Amino acid sequence: MSIIIHELDVLVKGTIDDMKRAANLFNKQQQTFIDRRLNVTIQGSKHKALPNPPKCGPNLPVPLSNGYWKDSLTHVPLMCRGQQWTREEAKKCLSDKHLYLYGDSTLNQIQKDLLYFLEQVNMSFQFVLFRAGDKRQGVVNMAFEADYIDKIQNCSNETPVFILNMCFHVSAWSTRAYLDRLFHTKQAVMRLLQRCPNAIVIIKLAHPRDVINIEKSVHSANYIYHDMNRMMRRVFDDIDVNYLDPWDLVLSHPSKSEVHMPEPVIRQEVYLMLSYICPEMVNNQDDDYYI
């Protein structure tokens, strides 16, 4: 046993040493050049460089870029057609729906922003179980994604909308265990769509973050979250689910890429989520939005 522990210590130390060397790939002069902002103004033709994207919905192709920021407050999605929702439009969209949110604190940010934006929403939130983190977590009335979805049996009076987030806090799981969790969730979603054909399922994918320290980069590096996004798409792609993909949205914003992004980023995620829930309400004539 002591031999195994010693070998593991050597492996961990070697990994940390390699990461420290990789962290010095760029010297200070190069990093200064990389961090320098360059403003480019394009003059001339007023013709659109990009075609209008399709309505938001399931089974959409993944574009080269998911969108861009028109300014620091307005994001223009390119994977599907979105808009800047007014309070009245959002209330009308959600008037006959119940939102079931299952995920981590990044999804809780969306819940809080929705309540701030609309003041009252028919909505339930369940924190992800079980999780890796730095705080204690109670297990009373907790459930895995599949159990949470299976609890909803009656959907005749309202449209259930499930927003699932299975990224942060579970990145330390083995690939096999994570895929097992995804497949159980997929089977629950399929059962949900059978008994509630009007149900809407949105999977919120992971976004990049600046790793706090070298030790956390072992289980929380961006390539891990990118790979988790790939696995989620691969598992759910043959059923009618929607993907709320904030990767480019977060990465291209002027603010620092963190787990908990500032309010303007969260509000644009909310607008994109509404565009998936009510694509028929998105203004198809708003051509100025896509220029």
Side-chain angles (χ1 to χ4, degrees), residues 222-255:
N222 286 336
Y223 75 86
I224 294 178
Y225 295 126
H226 188 274
D227 202 38
M228 294 172 76
N229 286 352
R230 180 188 62 83
M231 286 186 277
M232 281 186 280
R233 285 185 179 273
R234 187 66 177 267
V235 170
F236 288 93
D237 256 356
D238 59 341
I239 60 177
D240 289 337
V241 300
N242 305 275
Y243 299 103
L244 179 60
D245 188 352
W247 192 278
D248 289 348
L249 185 149
V250 168
L251 195 61
S252 59
H253 192 262
S255 61

Side-chain angles (χ1 to χ4, degrees), residues 147-161:
D147 299 323
Y148 185 67
I149 296 171
D150 284 340
K151 289 193 300 183
I152 308 305
Q153 296 293 326
N154 185 10
C155 51
S156 58
N157 298 325
E158 58 188 7
T159 300
V161 180

Side-chain angles (χ1 to χ4, degrees), residues 30 39 100 104 129 161 202 234 243 278 286:
Q30 290 171 316
N39 295 324
Y100 298 92
D104 54 35
L129 176 83
V161 180
I202 300 174
R234 187 66 177 267
Y243 299 103
C278 298
D286 189 11

Side-chain angles (χ1 to χ4, degrees), residues 143-188:
F144 283 102
E145 295 89 347
D147 299 323
Y148 185 67
I149 296 171
D150 284 340
K151 289 193 300 183
I152 308 305
Q153 296 293 326
N154 185 10
C155 51
S156 58
N157 298 325
E158 58 188 7
T159 300
V161 180
F162 281 86
I163 300 99
L164 308 174
N165 176 227
M166 300 167 284
C167 310
F168 300 113
H169 293 297
V170 295
S171 58
W173 284 42
S174 68
T175 301
R176 183 171 181 175
Y178 182 64
L179 285 173
D180 186 62
R181 183 169 186 163
L182 291 183
F183 276 108
H184 278 288
T185 304
K186 176 184 178 179
Q187 290 172 348

Side-chain angles (χ1 to χ4, degrees), residues 59-272:
N59 304 318
L60 293 177
V62 180
L64 182 62
S65 171
N66 285 339
Y68 64 93
W69 288 88
K70 200 171 185 178
D71 51 54
S72 61
L73 299 177
T74 308
H75 182 261
V76 181
L78 295 178
M79 79 291 292
C80 65
R81 193 173 183 87
Q83 69 179 18
Q84 301 298 293
W85 290 73
T86 65
R87 179 174 297 177
E88 291 71 24
E89 290 171 337
K91 285 185 176 181
K92 181 179 179 181
C93 169
L94 301 179
S95 61
D96 60 342
K97 298 174 180 66
H98 188 116
L99 271 57
Y100 298 92
L101 282 68
Y102 185 104
D104 54 35
S105 53
T106 63
L107 200 56
N108 193 27
Q109 283 184 286
I110 288 182
Q111 179 200 28
K112 291 179 178 178
D113 192 76
L114 265 175
L115 290 174
Y116 179 79
F117 181 38
L118 302 179
E119 298 178 354
Q120 186 173 0
V121 186
N122 194 12
M123 179 168 49
S124 307
F125 178 80
Q126 175 76 61
F127 203 91
V128 62
L129 176 83
F130 287 96
R131 68 178 180 89
D134 56 0
K135 295 182 180 179
R136 292 183 178 180
Q137 176 189 11
V139 294
V140 178
N141 298 324
M142 298 293 283
F144 283 102
E145 295 89 347
D147 299 323
Y148 185 67
I149 296 171
D150 284 340
K151 289 193 300 183
I152 308 305
Q153 296 293 326
N154 185 10
C155 51
S156 58
N157 298 325
E158 58 188 7
T159 300
V161 180
F162 281 86
I163 300 99
L164 308 174
N165 176 227
M166 300 167 284
C167 310
F168 300 113
H169 293 297
V170 295
S171 58
W173 284 42
S174 68
T175 301
R176 183 171 181 175
Y178 182 64
L179 285 173
D180 186 62
R181 183 169 186 163
L182 291 183
F183 276 108
H184 278 288
T185 304
K186 176 184 178 179
Q187 290 172 348
V189 170
M190 294 172 67
R191 292 191 294 269
L192 170 71
L193 295 176
Q194 284 183 346
R195 64 179 180 271
C196 300
N198 62 330
I200 300 172
V201 179
I202 300 174
I203 297 178
K204 182 181 180 293
L205 303 179
H207 65 257
R209 55 170 291 188
D210 289 339
V211 178
I212 300 173
N213 53 51
I214 290 180
E215 286 76 13
K216 283 193 175 182
S217 68
V218 174
H219 57 76
S220 296
N222 286 336
Y223 75 86
I224 294 178
Y225 295 126
H226 188 274
D227 202 38
M228 294 172 76
N229 286 352
R230 180 188 62 83
M231 286 186 277
M232 281 186 280
R233 285 185 179 273
R234 187 66 177 267
V235 170
F236 288 93
D237 256 356
D238 59 341
I239 60 177
D240 289 337
V241 300
N242 305 275
Y243 299 103
L244 179 60
D245 188 352
W247 192 278
D248 289 348
L249 185 149
V250 168
L251 195 61
S252 59
H253 192 262
S255 61
K256 183 179 179 181
S257 297
E258 298 179 321
V259 174
H260 303 114
M261 295 299 292
E263 191 276 337
V265 176
I266 303 303
R267 178 56 58 88
Q268 294 303 304
E269 290 184 9
V270 168
Y271 288 163
L272 184 56

Side-chain angles (χ1 to χ4, degrees), residues 1-14:
M1 188 68 177
S2 60
I3 296 176
I4 296 175
I5 295 174
H6 173 72
E7 293 296 332
L8 287 174
D9 289 341
V10 171
L11 180 61
V12 171
K13 184 180 183 302

